[in-house]
Amino acid sequence: MRLDSVRELKQRVLRSVLAPMLSAAPRALGLAYAASAVTATRQTQRLLAVGVSPAGKGQFKLAVRLQRHSLATSAELDRLSDMARGELDVRFIGRVHKRAAPWYQRRNRPLRIGGSVAHFAVTAGTLGGFVRRRGSDGTLILSNNHVLANENRAKLGDAVLQPGSYDGGTRRRDRAARLERFVRLKTRGVNLVDSATASLERGIDYDAATLTGLGRLKGVAATPVDEGARVAKVGRTTGVTRGRVTAFELDDIVVAYDIGNASFDDQIEIEGAGSAPFSDGGDSGSLIVDRGGYAVAQLFAGSDTGGRNGRGLTYASPIHAVLQHLKVELIF
Amino acid sequence: MTEAPATIEAARAAKEEAKRRFADRTDIVGIGVTRHGKGYAVKVNLGSAVDLAALPQTVNGVPVIFEVVGSIRKR
């Protein structure tokens, strides 16, 4: 069928077949049922849905999606087949569930590397790891300035939420840390890192050694990464991804922030493995590790184009520079 | 005769020279070092497509690789 024909057929099906089915289905009576009785009623009728399905060469079929096996032999489906003259694409899809957010976009207690985190006025970034100030026992969260310090605009002591507000975190319920220190982002001159730390709230537990989906964090890599090095990360938006270093000692990288463009020197560039990007918005702050599980860099920026797969390039600061500027050491 | 692969020291020096040569260009969003064959090269990232034929293919004898990466944003 042509596209306009199948669209017109779909409207006729909705009026003459589906509308009568829906009106015949038993209704939930809300407060008339006790909570335990609702599951025992037949009010959750699983029916069928119709749409348009491409059939190749500019042709289309009426797409029919069944939520009950018994509908495959129903009078309604026979009628649809007659109306479409057999040009149907019928599939059983069963019950449709709301898709649950992955763990890294949910509340994590104990806190986990790779989970959603942010200053209360920032949407969401990634908890990159846990560090301590030399000579101190206090544990700090490591992420970017633009995640924990809102691009220099936050005050020391401000609430840091896990998960970030974009993932439902609230100041009342989800405060996990307080902004402790940040390296100022400069829109004039050269930046070397986009980094900040936040001190854990009392009683907040954490797992500093597990890179969920990748194994254990082994420590900090002794040598800088070279071009071609295989790396991986776990982040708030794209979860576990793997990639390859495509350039290093990159200078004059111009990164767009809300406060203006900022230039960075001595950075690492990474492309995603296969057909996937290495990162996306919200992965900022992720700890990047080598194949041995040793930390090599902190993710903070990216482009939408470039790389062999055309899915964009990711930019990261060498982990030694991050730790040195914040005067901290990695806990693992 | 083919040229010997550039050492990393030569690529680093060529990167500094490329930064000087391209200092006035506003379409460059990064200059670094990358592998090229058995040696190293200078990598120049561009914010938008340009006429590559008008750009140098080598700096101080070190290959220059250009790539259009578009604008770079915080993640």
Side-chain angles (χ1 to χ4, degrees):
Chain A
M1 278 183 278
R2 294 202 328 249
L3 183 58
D4 52 355
S5 301
V6 75
R7 281 178 173 155
E8 188 272 331
L9 174 61
K10 180 185 156 192
Q11 292 306 315
R12 280 197 288 127
V13 165
L14 288 172
R15 281 194 305 271
S16 62
V17 182
L18 291 196
M21 285 178 79
L22 288 168
S23 63
R27 299 277 180 194
L29 297 179
L31 295 174
Y33 288 94
S36 60
V38 171
T39 55
T41 71
R42 299 193 308 126
Q43 52 98 357
T44 50
Q45 287 292 304
R46 282 181 285 152
L47 300 171
L48 54 82
V50 293
V52 177
S53 173
K57 296 181 179 174
Q59 293 294 300
F60 298 87
K61 289 182 177 180
L62 184 71
V64 182
R65 300 294 178 258
L66 307 178
Q67 292 194 280
R68 274 192 283 138
H69 282 294
S70 61
L71 288 164
T73 54
S74 65
E76 286 88 355
L77 190 61
D78 287 344
R79 186 148 175 234
L80 291 190
S81 184
D82 288 344
M83 291 171 76
R85 294 179 182 161
E87 292 190 58
L88 293 180
D89 170 23
V90 182
R91 293 181 204 181
F92 174 73
I93 58 170
R95 190 188 295 267
V96 178
H97 297 274
K98 178 184 172 189
R99 185 164 291 189
W103 72 263
Y104 39 82
Q105 292 170 11
R106 298 201 301 259
R107 180 184 161 97
N108 309 137
R109 300 291 185 275
L111 301 177
R112 293 159 79 174
I113 298 171
S116 169
V117 77
H119 179 272
F120 68 82
V122 176
T123 52
T126 297
L127 193 165
F130 299 91
V131 295
R132 71 167 74 86
R133 204 155 295 292
R134 290 162 201 152
S136 163
D137 289 337
T139 300
L140 308 169
I141 286 173
L142 175 66
S143 190
N144 293 136
N145 174 321
H146 79 262
V147 172
L148 299 181
N150 196 17
E151 302 181 25
N152 308 334
R153 294 172 292 193
K155 296 196 300 287
L156 295 183
D158 274 358
V160 169
L161 313 181
Q162 197 295 311
S165 63
Y166 189 82
D167 296 318
T170 66
R171 272 200 267 186
R172 189 174 58 83
R173 202 182 53 215
D174 302 303
R175 194 174 67 206
R178 291 180 179 278
L179 178 63
E180 191 256 359
R181 184 174 292 191
F182 58 94
V183 180
R184 286 195 77 80
L185 286 168
K186 294 179 281 191
T187 52
R188 290 185 181 183
V190 173
N191 297 276
L192 295 172
V193 299
D194 172 352
S195 300
T197 50
S199 52
L200 288 184
E201 290 284 53
R202 191 186 302 266
I204 299 284
D205 202 5
Y206 62 95
D207 177 353
T210 305
L211 294 159
T212 306
L214 288 172
R216 287 189 74 79
L217 174 62
K218 302 277 183 56
V220 177
T223 55
V225 286
D226 196 353
E227 195 275 351
R230 305 285 168 174
V231 293
K233 71 101 188 66
V234 52
R236 176 263 162 208
T237 301
T238 57
V240 171
T241 58
R242 297 172 200 279
R244 189 180 74 90
V245 174
T246 49
F248 56 96
E249 297 177 19
L250 268 165
D251 296 345
D252 297 340
I253 300 181
V254 181
V255 180
Y257 286 91
D258 294 345
I259 58 171
N261 287 347
S263 181
F264 286 79
D265 274 5
D266 202 19
Q267 304 298 306
I268 297 165
E269 181 184 85
I270 299 158
E271 67 178 6
S275 59
F278 187 68
S279 70
D280 209 338
D283 285 329
S284 264
S286 298
L287 193 66
I288 297 172
V289 295
D290 64 17
R291 294 174 85 173
Y294 291 91
V296 294
Q298 182 187 41
L299 193 158
F300 75 103
S303 68
D304 292 333
T305 54
R308 283 187 297 191
N309 63 14
R311 302 296 303 277
L313 293 162
T314 294
Y315 295 91
S317 307
I319 195 66
H320 284 287
V322 172
L323 299 176
Q324 185 183 338
H325 277 80
L326 289 168
K327 299 182 174 64
V328 293
E329 56 193 15
L330 191 67
I331 301 173
F332 54 90
Chain B
M1 196 176 84
T2 55
E3 289 200 28
T7 63
I8 191 165
E9 290 77 17
R12 282 174 174 150
K15 182 187 88 169
E16 296 304 319
E17 174 60 21
K19 286 170 67 174
R20 281 189 289 274
R21 284 198 204 176
F22 300 143
D24 293 336
R25 296 190 70 118
T26 57
D27 52 356
I28 289 174
V29 294
I31 303 181
V33 176
T34 188
R35 288 262 189 190
H36 182 66
K38 292 181 178 176
Y40 290 87
V42 175
K43 184 165 189 266
V44 177
N45 290 341
L46 299 160
S48 55
V50 298
D51 178 12
L52 292 180
L55 295 167
Q57 301 304 298
T58 61
V59 169
N60 293 353
V62 175
V64 181
I65 295 168
F66 293 93
E67 181 173 16
V68 178
V69 304
S71 56
I72 299 168
R73 296 185 177 83
K74 62 176 179 174
R75 287 265 150 106

